Amino acid sequence: MEIAKLQTQTRFLVRQRLRLMVNQYEVHVEAPDGSEGPLVAFAQQKRMAFKEQVTLYSDDTKAHPLLGFKARKRIDLASAYDVTGADGQPIGVFRKDFKKSLLASTWHLEQPGMEVTTGSERNKFVAILRRVWNVIPYAENLPFAWPYHFDFRVGGQDAFSVEKKFGFRDRYVVDVKDPRLDRRLVIAQAIGLDALQSR
C-alpha cells in the first residue's frame, strides 16, 4: 500500500504468528465487515537479541522494506527506539518510561512537529495481574495472552489506542484518532508494545 493511502487508514489489525525462534507480526487494515483487509506490513524479530532491531516489510516475502526501528543502546530498559522509513530517513522515536512502568507500562512517542504522545495501560488492575503472571515459572511460554489496552494522548487529546484481545494468541486492534500521526510510527509502536513489553 502506498504511504499516502496508508496515511488515510484509521484502524489496523495486528496479529502475531506463532513461530519457534522468531516473533512475526502481520498488520492488516480493517475491512468494512470488521475482518482482516489487505496486508500492509509484515515484521520479524529475533528472540533474545542483544540490540533490538526490527524491519517491517510491505508483505511476508520481505522483498520491499517499509520501515524499521532500532534500539539506541544494548540491553537498556529505558532505551529509545529510532523509527526510520524505507529510505533511512527518520520518522520518529518511541521509548519506555521505566519508572512509571513499574506499575503500569508507559511509553512516549515523538514525531517531528508534534508534542510528545504518551501512552499507558488503561486498567491498572490488569497491569498488576500481568506482572504477577509473568513471574510464574514457564507462564510466558504458555499460548495465552492477557488483554490490555493502551491509550495514547497528545496535548490532552486522544491520539490512538492499542487494544490487545483476550485469547491464546496475540491480536491487537489499533485505532488512530489524530490524523497528524504518521501511520508507520503508530504501527512501529504497536508492534513494539508486544515485542518489547517484557524488556
Side-chain angles (χ1 to χ4, degrees), residues 19-86:
R19 297 292 184 268
L20 186 61
M21 298 302 295
V22 296
N23 294 324
Q24 293 182 339
Y25 301 90
E26 294 180 358
V27 182
H28 297 258
V29 296
E30 186 182 60
D33 64 357
S35 64
E36 291 180 351
L39 179 70
V40 294
F42 173 81
Q44 181 169 298
Q45 173 215 27
K46 292 181 180 179
R47 293 179 183 162
M48 303 303 291
F50 285 106
K51 188 172 184 180
E52 297 292 351
Q53 181 172 354
V54 177
T55 301
L56 287 84
Y57 301 88
S58 59
D59 57 41
D60 58 5
T61 65
K62 298 188 287 186
H64 303 288
L66 180 65
L67 67 135
F69 60 86
K70 183 178 181 179
R72 290 181 181 173
K73 300 178 181 178
R74 293 177 182 270
I75 312 180
D76 183 351
L77 296 176
S79 181
Y81 296 83
D82 292 300
V83 183
T84 55

Side-chain angles (χ1 to χ4, degrees), residues 4 10 12 24 28 33 42 46-47 53 55 69 81 95 102 112 116-117 128 136 143 146 155 163 179 187 194 198:
T10 58
F12 300 95
Q24 293 182 339
H28 297 258
D33 64 357
F42 173 81
K46 292 181 180 179
R47 293 179 183 162
Q53 181 172 354
T55 301
F69 60 86
Y81 296 83
R95 60 185 170 83
L102 292 175
V116 174
T117 302
I128 292 171
I136 298 174
W146 279 101
E163 183 178 356
I187 289 170
D194 184 278
S198 62

Side-chain angles (χ1 to χ4, degrees), residues 86-99:
D87 56 2
Q89 294 300 309
I91 296 173
V93 177
F94 64 84
R95 60 185 170 83
K96 190 172 187 177
D97 189 320
F98 180 68
K99 289 182 180 179

